[in-house]
Amino acid sequence: MSAASLSVRGISKSFSGLRAVDNVSFDVKAGAIQALIGPNGAGKTTVFNMIAGVFRPDTGDVLLDGKSLVGKRPDQICHAGVGRTFQIVRPFNDLTVEENVAVGALAWTDDVQEARDYANDVLRLLGLDDKRGARPTGITLPDRKCLEVARALATKPKILLLDEVMAGLRPTETDRMVSVFRKLNDDTGVTILLIEHVMRAVMALSAHIVVVNYGKVIAEGPPELVTRDPDVLACYLGAEAVH
């Protein structure tokens, strides 16, 4: 599995005259773990949807290793190397954990056995191999979050977009997920861009943070600088969050 760089160049998106994303630009280096944060409604998931091809930007461009993704369908962008998770975990509850992940692998192979074999490799990587025969309804919330990541990872992405995969987890569960993502990045080199409200995880994982508010980038840089930025404190973190 290889890593890819991502360049977001001046993307904007409006819905019924409301500007949800306004001229957003940032870069993610190949092999990096980077966070995109901001308050609810700031436009973060809309940015993800434009990267993944759900929405076409009204203006601007999205480049994966220098090649534009704009105008491609979500399946074509997946084939290009972009994998993503969703805020609401919705596995196929009638399938086993292994079968759920194998569905992701069928994005690049027509061989069902090859898809199953790769699914089991992914499950071992994420510590879910002992759950492969279970149904999603029979595993814990943290394991379902890991399953969501496994399904995306099975598509063999070069960059993984993680949308609030640690929401609702207890601190110990969050720490487990942080360890999973560190290991994933170390073992595969995959680039990770995460949307996350859990600052415990953001600070532990990210070397670089981009902050958006009202659809605009208001701050960018290393965590220790961003979390002291007055605009960030005012709009999102609150003074208590960094003391």
Side-chain angles (χ1 to χ4, degrees):
M1 193 177 297
S2 58
S5 64
L6 180 75
S7 293
V8 174
R9 289 281 168 266
I11 60 172
S12 298
K13 187 68 182 177
S14 296
F15 300 97
S16 302
L18 176 65
R19 184 65 63 93
V21 174
D22 188 359
N23 195 32
V24 165
S25 297
F26 60 85
D27 294 305
V28 186
K29 294 179 181 179
I33 302 179
Q34 186 163 312
L36 179 65
I37 71 171
N40 288 327
K44 305 180 299 296
T45 296
T46 301
V47 169
F48 265 25
N49 282 332
M50 285 189 280
I51 295 170
V54 177
F55 301 140
R56 181 172 183 146
D58 297 334
T59 62
D61 205 353
V62 178
L63 305 165
L64 186 71
D65 278 343
K67 296 180 180 179
S68 178
L69 299 177
V70 171
K72 296 183 182 296
R73 301 188 309 267
D75 62 300
Q76 293 172 320
I77 291 175
C78 177
H79 281 292
V82 178
R84 72 167 296 183
T85 67
F86 294 86
Q87 288 182 26
I88 300 173
V89 178
R90 289 176 177 164
F92 301 111
N93 287 326
D94 292 336
L95 302 181
T96 65
V97 165
E98 177 193 291
E99 290 165 343
N100 266 273
V101 181
V103 169
L106 290 172
W108 52 266
T109 180
D110 293 327
D111 186 323
V112 174
Q113 188 56 53
E114 184 178 23
R116 283 183 175 273
D117 291 343
Y118 193 76
N120 279 293
D121 289 342
V122 172
L123 290 172
R124 277 191 291 274
L125 181 65
L126 296 181
L128 286 176
D129 46 316
D130 61 335
K131 310 287 195 319
R132 62 181 178 270
R135 305 282 177 176
T137 52
I139 61 177
T140 64
L141 176 61
D143 284 342
R144 288 198 300 275
K145 298 274 189 176
C146 274
L147 173 58
E148 179 76 357
V149 175
R151 294 202 301 166
L153 197 60
T155 66
K156 289 190 175 181
K158 297 175 182 177
I159 182 168
L160 190 58
L161 309 179
L162 302 175
D163 197 347
E164 296 193 36
V165 294
M166 284 169 271
L169 299 184
R170 293 188 286 268
T172 53
E173 295 166 343
T174 296
D175 291 345
R176 175 198 163 193
M177 292 295 284
V178 165
S179 296
V180 165
F181 295 136
R182 278 182 178 155
K183 178 176 172 55
L184 176 60
N185 180 253
D186 288 343
D187 289 356
T188 70
V190 66
T191 308
I192 297 175
L193 177 61
L194 63 145
I195 292 173
E196 194 54 67
H197 284 297
V198 181
M199 291 307 297
R200 180 189 186 95
V202 171
M203 298 296 286
L205 283 170
S206 306
H208 192 87
I209 298 174
V210 177
V211 187
V212 294
N213 192 28
Y214 294 111
K216 296 182 179 183
V217 174
I218 63 166
E220 183 175 359
E224 61 272 15
L225 294 181
V226 167
T227 53
R228 291 199 295 266
D229 186 290
D231 291 335
V232 176
L233 292 172
C235 85
Y236 180 52
L237 295 177
E240 298 84 359
V242 292
H243 290 303

